[in-house]
Coordinates of all heavy atoms in Angstrom, one line a residue:
Chain X
L43 N 124.2 -16.9 -42.7 CA 123.6 -15.7 -42.1 C 123.7 -15.9 -40.5 O 123.3 -17.0 -40.0 CB 122.2 -15.5 -42.5 CG 122.0 -14.9 -43.9 CD1 122.1 -15.9 -44.9 CD2 120.7 -14.2 -43.9
R44 N 124.1 -14.9 -39.9 CA 124.2 -14.9 -38.4 C 123.3 -13.8 -37.9 O 123.4 -12.6 -38.3 CB 125.6 -14.8 -38.0 CG 126.5 -16.0 -38.3 CD 127.9 -15.8 -37.9 NE 128.6 -14.8 -38.6 CZ 129.8 -14.3 -38.3 NH1 130.4 -14.7 -37.2 NH2 130.3 -13.3 -39.0
L45 N 122.6 -14.1 -36.9 CA 121.6 -13.1 -36.3 C 122.4 -12.2 -35.4 O 123.1 -12.5 -34.5 CB 120.6 -13.9 -35.4 CG 119.5 -13.1 -34.8 CD1 118.6 -12.5 -35.9 CD2 118.6 -14.0 -33.9
I46 N 122.1 -10.9 -35.6 CA 122.8 -9.8 -34.8 C 121.9 -9.4 -33.7 O 122.3 -9.5 -32.5 CB 123.1 -8.6 -35.7 CG1 123.9 -9.0 -36.9 CG2 123.8 -7.5 -34.9 CD1 124.1 -7.9 -37.9
H47 N 120.7 -8.9 -34.0 CA 119.7 -8.4 -33.0 C 118.3 -8.7 -33.5 O 118.1 -8.9 -34.7 CB 119.8 -6.9 -32.7 CG 120.9 -6.5 -31.8 ND1 121.0 -6.7 -30.5 CD2 122.1 -5.9 -32.2 CE1 122.1 -6.2 -30.0 NE2 122.8 -5.7 -31.0
Y48 N 117.4 -8.8 -32.6 CA 116.0 -9.0 -33.1 C 115.0 -8.3 -32.2 O 115.4 -7.9 -31.0 CB 115.6 -10.5 -33.2 CG 115.6 -11.3 -31.9 CD1 114.4 -11.5 -31.2 CD2 116.8 -11.8 -31.3 CE1 114.4 -12.2 -30.0 CE2 116.8 -12.5 -30.2 CZ 115.6 -12.7 -29.5 OH 115.6 -13.4 -28.3
S49 N 113.8 -8.2 -32.6 CA 112.8 -7.5 -31.8 C 111.4 -8.2 -32.0 O 111.0 -8.5 -33.2 CB 112.6 -6.0 -32.3 OG 111.5 -5.5 -31.7
V50 N 110.7 -8.5 -31.0 CA 109.4 -9.2 -31.1 C 108.3 -8.2 -31.0 O 107.1 -8.6 -31.1 CB 109.2 -10.2 -30.0 CG1 110.3 -11.3 -30.1 CG2 109.3 -9.6 -28.6
G51 N 108.6 -6.9 -30.9 CA 107.6 -5.8 -31.0 C 108.2 -4.5 -30.6 O 109.3 -4.4 -30.1
A52 N 107.4 -3.4 -30.8 CA 107.9 -2.1 -30.5 C 108.3 -2.0 -29.0 O 107.5 -2.5 -28.1 CB 106.8 -1.1 -30.8
G53 N 109.5 -1.5 -28.8 CA 110.0 -1.3 -27.4 C 110.7 -2.5 -26.9 O 111.2 -2.5 -25.7
I54 N 110.8 -3.6 -27.6 CA 111.4 -4.9 -27.1 C 112.5 -5.3 -28.1 O 112.2 -5.5 -29.3 CB 110.4 -6.0 -27.0 CG1 109.2 -5.6 -26.2 CG2 111.0 -7.2 -26.4 CD1 108.0 -6.5 -26.2
T55 N 113.7 -5.4 -27.6 CA 114.8 -5.9 -28.5 C 115.6 -6.9 -27.7 O 115.6 -6.9 -26.4 CB 115.7 -4.8 -29.0 OG1 116.4 -4.1 -27.8 CG2 115.0 -3.7 -29.8
D56 N 116.4 -7.7 -28.4 CA 117.2 -8.7 -27.7 C 118.4 -9.0 -28.6 O 118.4 -8.8 -29.8 CB 116.4 -10.0 -27.4 CG 117.0 -10.7 -26.2 OD1 118.2 -10.4 -25.8 OD2 116.4 -11.6 -25.7
Q57 N 119.4 -9.6 -28.0 CA 120.6 -9.9 -28.8 C 120.5 -11.2 -29.5 O 119.9 -12.2 -29.0 CB 121.8 -9.9 -27.8 CG 122.1 -8.6 -27.2 CD 123.3 -8.7 -26.2 OE1 123.8 -9.8 -25.9 NE2 123.8 -7.5 -25.8
G58 N 121.2 -11.3 -30.6 CA 121.3 -12.6 -31.3 C 122.7 -13.2 -31.1 O 123.3 -13.1 -30.0
E59 N 123.2 -13.8 -32.1 CA 124.4 -14.6 -32.0 C 125.7 -13.7 -32.0 O 126.7 -14.0 -31.4 CB 124.5 -15.5 -33.2 CG 125.7 -16.4 -33.3 CD 125.7 -17.3 -34.6 OE1 124.7 -17.2 -35.3 OE2 126.7 -18.0 -34.8
V60 N 125.6 -12.6 -32.8 CA 126.8 -11.7 -32.9 C 126.5 -10.2 -32.7 O 126.5 -9.4 -33.6 CB 127.5 -11.9 -34.3 CG1 128.2 -13.3 -34.4 CG2 126.4 -11.8 -35.4
P61 N 126.1 -9.8 -31.5 CA 125.6 -8.5 -31.2 C 126.7 -7.4 -31.0 O 126.4 -6.2 -31.1 CB 124.8 -8.7 -30.0 CG 125.5 -9.7 -29.2 CD 126.0 -10.7 -30.3
N62 N 128.0 -7.8 -30.7 CA 129.0 -6.9 -30.3 C 129.3 -5.9 -31.4 O 129.5 -6.3 -32.6 CB 130.2 -7.6 -29.9 CG 130.1 -8.4 -28.6 OD1 129.1 -8.1 -27.9 ND2 130.9 -9.4 -28.4
G63 N 129.3 -4.6 -31.1 CA 129.6 -3.5 -32.0 C 128.3 -2.9 -32.7 O 128.5 -2.0 -33.5
Y64 N 127.2 -3.5 -32.4 CA 125.9 -3.0 -33.0 C 124.9 -2.7 -31.9 O 124.8 -3.3 -30.8 CB 125.3 -4.1 -33.8 CG 126.2 -4.7 -34.9 CD1 126.9 -5.9 -34.6 CD2 126.3 -4.1 -36.1 CE1 127.8 -6.4 -35.6 CE2 127.2 -4.7 -37.1 CZ 127.9 -5.9 -36.8 OH 128.7 -6.4 -37.8
N65 N 124.1 -1.7 -32.2 CA 123.0 -1.3 -31.3 C 121.7 -1.2 -32.1 O 121.7 -0.9 -33.3 CB 123.2 0.1 -30.7 CG 123.9 0.0 -29.4 OD1 124.2 -1.1 -28.9 ND2 124.1 1.2 -28.7
V66 N 120.6 -1.5 -31.5 CA 119.3 -1.4 -32.1 C 118.3 -0.8 -31.2 O 118.5 -0.7 -30.0 CB 118.7 -2.8 -32.6 CG1 119.5 -3.4 -33.7 CG2 118.6 -3.7 -31.4
S67 N 117.2 -0.3 -31.8 CA 116.1 0.2 -31.0 C 114.8 0.0 -31.8 O 114.9 -0.2 -33.1 CB 116.2 1.7 -30.7 OG 116.3 2.5 -31.9
R68 N 113.7 -0.1 -31.2 CA 112.4 -0.3 -31.9 C 111.3 0.6 -31.3 O 110.6 0.2 -30.4 CB 112.0 -1.8 -31.8 CG 110.8 -2.2 -32.6 CD 111.1 -2.7 -33.9 NE 109.9 -3.0 -34.7 CZ 109.3 -4.3 -34.6 NH1 109.8 -5.2 -33.9 NH2 108.3 -4.5 -35.4
S69 N 111.3 1.8 -31.8 CA 110.3 2.8 -31.3 C 109.0 2.7 -32.0 O 108.0 3.1 -31.4 CB 110.9 4.2 -31.4 OG 111.2 4.5 -32.7
T70 N 109.0 2.1 -33.2 CA 107.7 1.9 -33.9 C 107.7 0.5 -34.5 O 108.7 -0.2 -34.6 CB 107.6 2.9 -35.1 OG1 108.6 2.6 -36.1 CG2 107.7 4.3 -34.6
T71 N 106.5 0.0 -34.8 CA 106.4 -1.3 -35.5 C 107.1 -1.3 -36.8 O 107.7 -2.3 -37.2 CB 104.9 -1.6 -35.7 OG1 104.2 -1.7 -34.4 CG2 104.7 -3.0 -36.3
E72 N 107.1 -0.2 -37.5 CA 107.6 -0.2 -38.9 C 109.1 -0.2 -39.0 O 109.6 -0.6 -40.0 CB 107.0 1.0 -39.6 CG 105.5 1.1 -39.8 CD 104.8 1.4 -38.5 OE1 105.4 2.0 -37.6 OE2 103.6 1.1 -38.5
D73 N 109.8 0.4 -38.1 CA 111.2 0.7 -38.3 C 112.1 -0.1 -37.3 O 111.8 -0.2 -36.1 CB 111.5 2.2 -38.2 CG 110.7 3.0 -39.2 OD1 111.0 2.7 -40.4 OD2 109.9 3.8 -38.8
F74 N 113.3 -0.5 -37.8 CA 114.2 -1.3 -36.9 C 115.6 -0.9 -37.4 O 116.3 -1.7 -38.0 CB 113.9 -2.7 -37.0 CG 114.6 -3.6 -36.0 CD1 114.7 -3.2 -34.6 CD2 115.2 -4.8 -36.3 CE1 115.3 -4.0 -33.7 CE2 115.9 -5.6 -35.4 CZ 115.9 -5.2 -34.1
P75 N 116.1 0.3 -37.0 CA 117.5 0.6 -37.4 C 118.6 -0.1 -36.7 O 118.5 -0.4 -35.5 CB 117.5 2.2 -37.1 CG 116.5 2.3 -36.0 CD 115.5 1.3 -36.2
L76 N 119.7 -0.3 -37.4 CA 120.9 -1.0 -36.9 C 122.0 0.1 -36.8 O 122.3 0.6 -37.9 CB 121.3 -2.2 -37.7 CG 122.5 -2.9 -37.3 CD1 122.2 -3.7 -36.0 CD2 123.0 -3.9 -38.4
R77 N 122.6 0.3 -35.7 CA 123.6 1.3 -35.5 C 125.0 0.7 -35.3 O 125.1 -0.2 -34.5 CB 123.3 2.2 -34.4 CG 122.0 3.0 -34.6 CD 121.8 4.0 -33.4 NE 120.5 4.6 -33.6 CZ 119.3 4.1 -33.1 NH1 119.3 2.9 -32.5 NH2 118.2 4.8 -33.3
L78 N 125.9 1.1 -36.1 CA 127.3 0.8 -35.9 C 128.0 1.9 -35.2 O 128.0 3.0 -35.7 CB 128.0 0.5 -37.2 CG 127.8 -0.9 -37.9 CD1 126.4 -1.0 -38.4 CD2 128.8 -1.1 -39.0
L79 N 128.4 1.7 -34.0 CA 128.9 2.8 -33.1 C 130.3 3.3 -33.5 O 130.6 4.5 -33.5 CB 128.9 2.3 -31.7 CG 127.6 1.8 -31.2 CD1 127.7 1.2 -29.8 CD2 126.5 2.8 -31.2
S80 N 131.2 2.3 -33.9 CA 132.5 2.7 -34.3 C 133.0 1.5 -35.2 O 133.4 0.5 -34.8 CB 133.5 2.7 -33.1 OG 134.8 3.0 -33.5
A81 N 132.8 1.8 -36.5 CA 133.0 0.7 -37.5 C 134.4 0.2 -37.5 O 135.4 0.9 -37.3 CB 132.7 1.3 -38.9
A82 N 134.4 -1.2 -37.7 CA 135.7 -1.9 -37.8 C 135.7 -2.7 -39.1 O 134.7 -3.1 -39.6 CB 135.9 -2.8 -36.6
P83 N 136.9 -3.0 -39.6 CA 137.0 -3.8 -40.9 C 136.3 -5.1 -40.7 O 135.7 -5.6 -41.7 CB 138.5 -4.0 -41.1 CG 139.1 -2.7 -40.5 CD 138.2 -2.4 -39.3
S84 N 136.2 -5.7 -39.5 CA 135.5 -7.0 -39.3 C 134.0 -6.9 -39.5 O 133.3 -7.9 -39.6 CB 135.8 -7.5 -37.9 OG 135.3 -6.6 -36.9
Q85 N 133.5 -5.6 -39.6 CA 132.1 -5.5 -39.9 C 131.7 -5.3 -41.3 O 130.6 -5.1 -41.7 CB 131.6 -4.2 -39.1 CG 131.6 -4.5 -37.6 CD 131.1 -3.3 -36.8 OE1 131.7 -2.2 -36.9 NE2 130.2 -3.5 -35.9
T86 N 132.7 -5.4 -42.2 CA 132.5 -5.5 -43.6 C 131.7 -6.7 -43.9 O 132.1 -7.9 -43.6 CB 133.8 -5.6 -44.4 OG1 134.5 -4.3 -44.2 CG2 133.6 -5.9 -45.9
S87 N 130.5 -6.5 -44.5 CA 129.6 -7.7 -44.7 C 128.4 -7.2 -45.5 O 128.3 -6.0 -45.9 CB 129.1 -8.1 -43.3 OG 128.3 -9.3 -43.4
V88 N 127.5 -8.1 -45.7 CA 126.2 -7.8 -46.3 C 125.2 -7.9 -45.2 O 125.1 -9.0 -44.5 CB 125.8 -8.7 -47.5 CG1 124.5 -8.2 -48.1 CG2 126.9 -8.6 -48.6
Y89 N 124.4 -6.9 -45.0 CA 123.4 -6.9 -43.8 C 122.0 -7.1 -44.4 O 121.6 -6.3 -45.3 CB 123.5 -5.6 -43.0 CG 124.8 -5.6 -42.3 CD1 126.0 -5.1 -42.9 CD2 124.9 -6.0 -41.0 CE1 127.2 -5.0 -42.2 CE2 126.1 -6.0 -40.3 CZ 127.3 -5.5 -40.9 OH 128.5 -5.4 -40.3
F90 N 121.3 -8.0 -43.8 CA 119.9 -8.2 -44.2 C 118.9 -8.0 -43.0 O 119.2 -8.4 -41.9 CB 119.7 -9.6 -44.7 CG 120.3 -9.9 -46.0 CD1 121.5 -10.6 -46.1 CD2 119.6 -9.5 -47.2 CE1 122.1 -10.8 -47.4 CE2 120.2 -9.7 -48.4 CZ 121.4 -10.4 -48.5
C91 N 117.9 -7.3 -43.3 CA 116.8 -7.2 -42.4 C 115.7 -8.2 -42.7 O 115.4 -8.4 -43.9 CB 116.2 -5.7 -42.4 SG 114.8 -5.4 -41.3
A92 N 115.0 -8.8 -41.7 CA 114.0 -9.8 -42.0 C 112.8 -9.5 -41.0 O 113.1 -9.2 -39.9 CB 114.5 -11.2 -41.9
T93 N 111.6 -9.8 -41.5 CA 110.4 -9.6 -40.7 C 109.5 -10.8 -40.8 O 109.6 -11.6 -41.7 CB 109.6 -8.4 -41.1 OG1 108.9 -8.7 -42.3 CG2 110.6 -7.2 -41.4
S94 N 108.7 -11.0 -39.8 CA 107.6 -12.0 -39.9 C 106.4 -11.5 -39.0 O 106.6 -10.7 -38.1 CB 108.1 -13.4 -39.5 OG 108.3 -13.4 -38.1
P95 N 105.2 -12.0 -39.2 CA 104.0 -11.5 -38.6 C 104.1 -11.6 -37.0 O 103.6 -10.7 -36.4 CB 102.9 -12.4 -39.1 CG 103.4 -12.8 -40.4 CD 104.9 -13.0 -40.3
G96 N 104.7 -12.6 -36.5 CA 104.9 -12.7 -35.0 C 103.7 -13.1 -34.2 O 103.8 -13.1 -33.0
R97 N 102.6 -13.5 -34.9 CA 101.5 -14.0 -34.1 C 101.5 -15.5 -34.0 O 102.1 -16.1 -34.8 CB 100.2 -13.5 -34.8 CG 100.0 -12.0 -34.7 CD 98.7 -11.5 -35.4 NE 98.9 -11.6 -36.9 CZ 99.4 -10.7 -37.6 NH1 99.9 -9.6 -37.0 NH2 99.5 -10.8 -38.9
A98 N 100.7 -16.0 -33.1 CA 100.7 -17.5 -32.9 C 100.3 -18.1 -34.2 O 99.5 -17.6 -35.0 CB 99.6 -17.8 -31.8
P99 N 100.9 -19.3 -34.5 CA 101.8 -20.1 -33.7 C 103.3 -19.6 -33.7 O 104.1 -20.4 -33.5 CB 101.7 -21.4 -34.3 CG 101.5 -21.2 -35.7 CD 100.7 -19.9 -35.8
F100 N 103.5 -18.4 -34.0 CA 104.8 -17.7 -33.8 C 105.9 -18.0 -34.8 O 106.8 -17.3 -34.9 CB 105.4 -18.0 -32.4 CG 104.5 -17.5 -31.3 CD1 103.9 -18.4 -30.5 CD2 104.3 -16.2 -31.1 CE1 103.1 -18.0 -29.4 CE2 103.4 -15.7 -30.1 CZ 102.8 -16.6 -29.3

Side-chain angles (χ1 to χ4, degrees):
Chain X
L43 281 82
R44 293 179 291 169
L45 183 65
I46 304 171
H47 285 285
Y48 66 98
S49 168
V50 298
I54 306 169
T55 63
D56 205 348
Q57 296 181 350
E59 182 184 356
V60 288
N62 292 342
Y64 307 94
N65 267 1
V66 293
S67 60
R68 183 93 180 271
S69 55
T70 66
T71 299
E72 294 77 20
D73 300 297
F74 190 44
L76 178 71
R77 297 183 186 85
L78 281 68
L79 306 174
S80 178
S84 61
Q85 293 178 304
T86 293
S87 187
V88 181
Y89 291 86
F90 288 100
C91 178
T93 77
S94 72
R97 292 178 287 277
F100 301 112

